[in-house]
Amino acid sequence: MKVEIVNKERPVLSEKAKAEIQTVIGYYPEGKSKSAILRVLHIVEEEAGGWLSPDTMDMVAEILNITAIEVYEVATFYTMFNLHPVGKYVFEVCHTGPCMLVGSDNIIKYIEDKLNIKVGGTTSDGMFTLKTAECLGACGYGPMLQCGKFYHEHLTPEKVDELIEACRRDEVKIY
Amino acid sequence: MGRKLLLEHIDVPGIETFEVYRQKGGYRSVEKALKSMSPDEVVEEVKKSGLRGRGGAGFPTGMKWSFLAKPEGVPRYLLCNADESEPGTFKDRYLMQYLPHLLIEGMIVSSFALGTNLSYIYIRGEYLFVLEILEKAIAEAYANGFLGKNILGTGYDLDLRVSPGGGAYICGEETALIESLEGKRGNPRIKPPFPAVKGLWGCPTVVNNVESLATVVPIINMGADEYVKIGTEQSRGTKLISACGNLERPGVYEIDLGLSVEEFIYGDDWCRGIKNGKQLKALVPGGSSVPILPTHLITKTANGDTRFMSYESLSDGGFASGSMLGSGGFIAFDEDQCIVRNTWNFTRFYAHESCGQCSPCREGTAWMEKVLWRIENGEGTMEDIALLEDINKKIEGNTICPLGDAAAWPVASAIRHFREEFEWHIKHPQEAMSRNYGLLKGATV
Ligand SMILES: Cc1cc2nc3c(=O)[nH]c(=O)nc-3n(C[C@H](O)[C@H](O)[C@H](O)COP(=O)(O)O)c2cc1C
Ligand code: SF4
Ligand code: FES
C-alpha cells in the first residue's frame, strides 16, 4: 500500500454512527470485538466521505482496542475499501464474464467517454469516480453497476445518461 | 412451472415482513422441530432427505452436521455462507432479499439441530443493502419470540447476527470465511483441523450455504419421506438455478432436480432459448469454476443420453466430457461469443481474487492471465497453449484451498473443447483483434 498521509484530521463520527458501532460490537462475544472490524470500517468509511485515510484507520484501531497494523492488514485485503479519496458518486461497473457477455465493456467505454475519465479516475469536479468490480451477484440483470450501497441494473447508454443526470440533481441515494 | 418449495410465496406482497410470512405458514418448521423433535431427530431427518450442500461442492448436509464435534462446555457455531461471489451465481441474494424470513427460519431449525446458541450469517460486503433487509427481519423474529431466550417456551436460546465481508471472493471458502469473521484477512486455513473440530474462535463450527439452510424448512415441514420423492436418486429435491448470459429470459428459477437441460434452456416456463434467436455455443452450468461444455455436450452426454440438471448427469463423463452442477450459476454463450476472451476474463477474476498465500495459485493465475491476454490480442504463439496446460497442471492439487483448482479447470476445459478457437486466434492475429471491436486494447477493463 502506498501510504499517503492526506489528512491529520479524524472524521467526527455522528451520534448515529457511534451508536451503531456500539451495537455491532455487541454482536460478538466478550473479547471478540475485533470481529466487528469489517462492519466498523464500512460505517466509518461512509462517515469519512467514502474513503479510509491512515488516520481514520488508526481511529478504528482505537475503537476496537487493536493495533493499527491489524486494521491496515484488513483494509488493504478487502477490495471494497477505498484507500484514496474518491468522488461523491463511485460507479463500480461489473466486468466479469456473465456481464461481459451482455455488453459491460461497452458500458465501461461509454462512461469513460461521457465523463472523460479512465477506469480508476475521478472527474475534476470531484463528482464521479469510475471503477470496475468483479461479479456482484446480479449476473442475470447485467450490465450493471453499484453506486454506494445500491445496484443499477440492465444498463444501456440511455440509462447511464439518466443516472448521471440524476446524480447531478442530487437525486440518487448512495447510503 | 415447476413445483416451488422455497419460492412458493415469493410474489406475495409483503412476504418480507414477519406478519405476512407467518400468515403464509412461516415458522411452522420451528414449532415442529423445537416442540416435537429432538436435535438428533432433526439431523436424522436432514440426512434422510438426501439434501446436498447448495454452495457448490454438493456435500451431504446431514452427514456434515453429524461430524460436528460436541465437547462439553465448549460453544459451537453455525455460520451461513452468504458470500455468494462465484461468477454466474445470484440465487442466494434473491432468496435473502425477497424471503429473508425463510433463511432465518432455516437457521433457527438448523441451529437447534446442531445445538448452537449463537449463529451468524456472513454476507458479502457488496450486499449491505441485503444485510439491512435481513437485520430488519431478524429484529421481527426477536420481537415475536422466535429468536432470543427461551424460544417458544422450549428453553432453547439462540442469537442470530449478520456479519459483512468487504469484497473478497475467497471469503466464500469456509476457512477463509471463518478468518474473515474473526476480523482478519481472508486467508484459507490449512486443513485439518477441519472447522467441525476447530472453526470460529477455535470452536467446532458448521458452515452451510444460504440455500442449504433455507431448504431445511420444507424438509422439516413435509418430512424427509415426502421430500425424497422429488428429484433423482442422487439429487433429491429442488434447486435454485441462476440463469444468465445470452438467454432470452435470465433470472432465478427453482427447478426439480432432474429437469432436462434442454427443457430448462428452451422451455416456455424457463429461459425460453437464446436471446435474439441466436444459436447456443457453450454452457457453464454451475458457476465460473466448473468446466465449460461445448454445443454437442450440453443437451446430451458423450454417450448420447439426455443431459439432466442433476449432480450426476451434469458431471457425467467426468472432466473429459462433463461438468458440474456446482452452485447453480448457469451461464449460456451464444454463437458470437469468443471462448478465448471469456477464458481470459475468468482467469483475470481468479488472479484478482487469489489470496496470495500459495505460489502456484498466486503466480500461476497471474501468468495464465498474461498468456491468455496475449492470445486474445493476436500476440500468442502455439507454444502458449502448451504453456497454459503446463501451468494448469502445476496449480491443480498443489494449493491450500480449491481456488487454485477452480482457476485451472475453466482453462483446461476451454482448451480441451475449443482448441481450434485458440489456434485460430494465434494464426489470425489481425482478425482476432478486430473481433474485439478494438475495445480491449484501448479500454482499461
Ligand atoms: C474459492 C471458494 C469460494 C467459495 N464460495 C462460496 C460461496 O460464495 N458460497 C457458498 O455457499 N459456498 C462457497 N464455497 C464453498 C464453501 O467452502 C463451503 O463448501 C460451503 O459453504 C458449504 O456449504 P454447503 O455444504 O451448504 O454447500 C466456496 C469454496 C471455495 C473454494
Ligand atoms: S489456492 Fe489461492 S486462494 Fe487458496 S489459499 Fe492458496 S493462494 Fe489463497
Ligand atoms: S458477472 Fe456481473 S454481476 Fe455477476
Coordinates of all heavy atoms in Angstrom, one line a residue, chain B residues 283 290-298 300-303 307 313-324 396 409-419:
Chain B
L283 N -21.8 -23.8 -22.7 CA -22.5 -23.6 -21.4 C -21.6 -23.9 -20.2 O -20.9 -24.8 -20.2 CB -23.7 -24.6 -21.4 CG -24.5 -24.6 -20.1 CD1 -25.4 -23.4 -20.0 CD2 -25.3 -25.9 -19.9
V290 N -16.6 -24.3 -12.9 CA -16.8 -25.6 -13.4 C -16.5 -25.7 -14.9 O -16.5 -24.6 -15.6 CB -18.3 -26.1 -13.2 CG1 -18.7 -25.9 -11.7 CG2 -19.2 -25.5 -14.1
P291 N -16.1 -26.8 -15.4 CA -15.7 -26.9 -16.8 C -16.8 -26.5 -17.8 O -18.0 -26.6 -17.5 CB -15.5 -28.4 -17.0 CG -15.1 -28.9 -15.6 CD -16.0 -28.1 -14.7
I292 N -16.4 -25.8 -18.9 CA -17.3 -25.4 -19.9 C -17.7 -26.5 -20.8 O -16.9 -27.4 -21.0 CB -16.6 -24.2 -20.7 CG1 -17.6 -23.5 -21.6 CG2 -15.4 -24.7 -21.5 CD1 -17.1 -22.2 -22.2
L293 N -18.9 -26.5 -21.3 CA -19.4 -27.6 -22.2 C -19.6 -27.0 -23.6 O -20.2 -26.0 -23.8 CB -20.7 -28.2 -21.7 CG -20.7 -29.0 -20.4 CD1 -22.1 -29.3 -20.0 CD2 -19.9 -30.2 -20.5
P294 N -19.1 -27.7 -24.6 CA -19.3 -27.3 -26.0 C -20.7 -27.7 -26.5 O -21.3 -28.5 -25.8 CB -18.2 -28.0 -26.8 CG -18.0 -29.3 -26.0 CD -18.3 -29.0 -24.5
T295 N -21.1 -27.1 -27.6 CA -22.5 -27.3 -28.0 C -23.0 -28.8 -28.0 O -24.1 -29.0 -27.4 CB -22.6 -26.9 -29.5 OG1 -21.8 -25.7 -29.7 CG2 -24.1 -26.5 -29.9
H296 N -22.2 -29.7 -28.5 CA -22.7 -31.1 -28.6 C -22.7 -31.8 -27.3 O -23.2 -32.9 -27.2 CB -21.8 -31.9 -29.6 CG -20.4 -32.1 -29.2 ND1 -19.5 -31.1 -29.2 CD2 -19.8 -33.2 -28.7 CE1 -18.3 -31.6 -28.7 NE2 -18.5 -32.9 -28.4
L297 N -22.2 -31.2 -26.2 CA -22.3 -31.9 -24.9 C -23.2 -31.3 -23.9 O -23.2 -31.6 -22.7 CB -20.9 -32.0 -24.3 CG -19.9 -32.9 -25.0 CD1 -18.5 -32.8 -24.4 CD2 -20.3 -34.4 -25.0
I298 N -24.1 -30.4 -24.4 CA -25.0 -29.6 -23.5 C -26.3 -30.4 -23.2 O -26.6 -30.7 -22.1 CB -25.2 -28.2 -24.0 CG1 -23.9 -27.4 -24.1 CG2 -26.3 -27.5 -23.1 CD1 -24.1 -26.0 -24.7
K300 N -27.0 -33.3 -24.5 CA -26.7 -34.8 -24.5 C -25.4 -35.0 -23.9 O -24.5 -34.2 -24.0 CB -26.7 -35.3 -25.9 CG -28.1 -35.2 -26.6 CD -28.7 -36.6 -26.8 CE -30.0 -36.5 -27.6 NZ -31.1 -36.0 -26.9
T301 N -25.2 -36.2 -23.3 CA -23.9 -36.6 -22.8 C -23.1 -37.2 -23.9 O -23.6 -37.4 -25.0 CB -24.0 -37.6 -21.6 OG1 -24.5 -38.8 -22.2 CG2 -24.9 -37.1 -20.5
A302 N -21.8 -37.5 -23.7 CA -21.0 -38.1 -24.7 C -21.6 -39.4 -25.2 O -21.4 -39.8 -26.4 CB -19.6 -38.3 -24.2
N303 N -22.3 -40.1 -24.3 CA -23.0 -41.4 -24.7 C -24.3 -41.2 -25.5 O -24.9 -42.2 -25.9 CB -23.3 -42.2 -23.5 CG -22.1 -42.6 -22.8 OD1 -21.1 -42.8 -23.4 ND2 -22.2 -42.8 -21.4
R307 N -29.1 -35.1 -21.2 CA -28.4 -34.4 -20.0 C -29.5 -33.8 -19.2 O -30.3 -33.0 -19.6 CB -27.4 -33.4 -20.6 CG -26.6 -32.7 -19.5 CD -25.3 -33.2 -19.1 NE -24.3 -33.1 -20.2 CZ -23.1 -33.7 -20.0 NH1 -22.8 -34.4 -19.0 NH2 -22.2 -33.5 -20.9
S313 N -25.9 -36.2 -13.6 CA -26.0 -36.1 -15.0 C -25.0 -35.0 -15.6 O -24.4 -35.1 -16.6 CB -27.4 -35.8 -15.5 OG -27.5 -35.7 -16.9
L314 N -25.0 -33.8 -14.9 CA -24.1 -32.8 -15.3 C -22.6 -33.2 -15.3 O -21.8 -32.7 -16.0 CB -24.4 -31.5 -14.6 CG -25.6 -30.7 -15.1 CD1 -25.9 -29.5 -14.2 CD2 -25.3 -30.1 -16.5
S315 N -22.3 -34.1 -14.3 CA -20.9 -34.5 -14.2 C -20.6 -35.8 -15.0 O -19.5 -36.3 -15.0 CB -20.5 -34.6 -12.8 OG -21.3 -35.6 -12.1
D316 N -21.7 -36.3 -15.7 CA -21.5 -37.5 -16.5 C -20.4 -37.3 -17.5 O -20.4 -36.3 -18.3 CB -22.8 -37.8 -17.2 CG -22.8 -39.2 -17.8 OD1 -21.7 -39.6 -18.2 OD2 -23.8 -39.8 -18.0
G317 N -19.4 -38.2 -17.5 CA -18.3 -38.0 -18.5 C -17.1 -37.5 -17.8 O -16.0 -37.3 -18.5
G318 N -17.2 -37.1 -16.5 CA -16.1 -36.6 -15.8 C -15.6 -35.3 -16.5 O -16.4 -34.6 -17.1
F319 N -14.3 -35.0 -16.3 CA -13.8 -33.7 -16.9 C -13.6 -33.9 -18.4 O -13.5 -32.9 -19.1 CB -12.5 -33.3 -16.2 CG -12.8 -32.6 -14.9 CD1 -14.1 -32.6 -14.4 CD2 -11.8 -31.8 -14.3 CE1 -14.4 -31.9 -13.2 CE2 -12.1 -31.1 -13.1 CZ -13.4 -31.2 -12.6
A320 N -13.6 -35.1 -18.9 CA -13.4 -35.2 -20.4 C -14.6 -34.7 -21.2 O -14.5 -34.0 -22.1 CB -13.2 -36.7 -20.7
S321 N -15.8 -35.0 -20.7 CA -17.0 -34.6 -21.5 C -18.1 -34.1 -20.6 O -19.3 -34.0 -21.1 CB -17.5 -35.8 -22.4 OG -17.9 -36.8 -21.6
G322 N -17.9 -33.9 -19.3 CA -18.9 -33.4 -18.4 C -18.5 -32.2 -17.7 O -17.5 -31.5 -18.0
S323 N -19.4 -31.8 -16.7 CA -19.1 -30.6 -16.0 C -19.6 -30.8 -14.6 O -19.4 -31.9 -14.0 CB -19.7 -29.3 -16.6 OG -19.4 -28.2 -15.9
M324 N -20.2 -29.8 -13.9 CA -20.7 -29.9 -12.6 C -21.9 -29.1 -12.4 O -22.1 -28.0 -13.0 CB -19.7 -29.5 -11.6 CG -18.6 -30.6 -11.3 SD -17.1 -29.8 -10.6 CE -17.6 -29.7 -8.9
E396 N -3.1 -27.2 -10.2 CA -4.0 -28.2 -9.7 C -3.5 -29.1 -8.6 O -2.5 -29.8 -8.8 CB -4.5 -29.0 -10.9 CG -6.0 -29.3 -10.9 CD -6.4 -30.2 -12.0 OE1 -5.8 -30.1 -13.2 OE2 -7.2 -31.1 -11.8
W409 N -9.5 -25.3 -13.8 CA -10.5 -26.1 -14.6 C -11.1 -25.4 -15.8 O -11.2 -26.0 -16.9 CB -11.6 -26.6 -13.7 CG -11.1 -27.6 -12.7 CD1 -9.9 -28.3 -12.7 CD2 -11.8 -28.0 -11.4 NE1 -9.9 -29.1 -11.6 CE2 -10.9 -28.9 -10.8 CE3 -13.0 -27.6 -10.9 CZ2 -11.3 -29.5 -9.6 CZ3 -13.3 -28.2 -9.6 CH2 -12.5 -29.1 -9.0
P410 N -11.5 -24.2 -15.6 CA -12.1 -23.5 -16.8 C -11.1 -23.4 -18.0 O -11.5 -23.5 -19.1 CB -12.4 -22.1 -16.3 CG -12.5 -22.2 -14.8 CD -11.5 -23.3 -14.4
V411 N -9.8 -23.2 -17.7 CA -8.8 -23.0 -18.7 C -8.6 -24.4 -19.4 O -8.6 -24.5 -20.6 CB -7.5 -22.5 -18.2 CG1 -6.4 -22.4 -19.3 CG2 -7.7 -21.1 -17.5
A412 N -8.5 -25.4 -18.6 CA -8.2 -26.8 -19.1 C -9.4 -27.2 -20.0 O -9.2 -27.7 -21.1 CB -8.0 -27.8 -18.0
S413 N -10.6 -26.9 -19.5 CA -11.8 -27.4 -20.3 C -11.9 -26.6 -21.6 O -12.3 -27.1 -22.6 CB -13.0 -27.4 -19.5 OG -13.3 -26.1 -19.0
A414 N -11.6 -25.3 -21.5 CA -11.8 -24.4 -22.7 C -10.8 -24.9 -23.8 O -11.1 -25.0 -25.0 CB -11.5 -23.0 -22.4
I415 N -9.6 -25.2 -23.4 CA -8.6 -25.7 -24.3 C -9.0 -27.1 -24.9 O -8.9 -27.4 -26.1 CB -7.2 -25.8 -23.7 CG1 -6.7 -24.4 -23.4 CG2 -6.2 -26.4 -24.7 CD1 -5.4 -24.3 -22.7
R416 N -9.5 -27.9 -24.0 CA -9.9 -29.3 -24.4 C -11.0 -29.2 -25.4 O -10.9 -29.9 -26.5 CB -10.5 -30.1 -23.2 CG -10.7 -31.5 -23.4 CD -11.3 -32.2 -22.2 NE -10.4 -32.0 -21.0 CZ -10.9 -31.4 -19.9 NH1 -12.1 -31.1 -19.8 NH2 -10.1 -31.2 -18.9
H417 N -12.0 -28.4 -25.2 CA -13.1 -28.4 -26.2 C -13.1 -27.3 -27.3 O -13.8 -27.4 -28.3 CB -14.4 -28.1 -25.4 CG -14.7 -29.2 -24.4 ND1 -14.8 -30.5 -24.7 CD2 -14.9 -29.2 -23.0 CE1 -15.1 -31.3 -23.6 NE2 -15.1 -30.4 -22.6
F418 N -12.2 -26.3 -27.1 CA -12.2 -25.2 -28.1 C -10.8 -24.9 -28.5 O -10.4 -23.8 -28.8 CB -12.8 -24.0 -27.5 CG -14.3 -24.1 -27.2 CD1 -14.7 -24.5 -25.9 CD2 -15.3 -23.9 -28.2 CE1 -16.1 -24.7 -25.6 CE2 -16.6 -24.1 -27.9 CZ -17.0 -24.4 -26.6
R419 N -9.9 -26.0 -28.6 CA -8.5 -25.8 -29.0 C -8.4 -25.0 -30.4 O -7.6 -24.2 -30.5 CB -7.8 -27.1 -29.1 CG -6.3 -27.0 -29.4 CD -5.7 -28.4 -29.5 NE -5.5 -29.0 -28.1 CZ -4.4 -28.8 -27.4 NH1 -3.5 -28.0 -27.8 NH2 -4.3 -29.3 -26.2

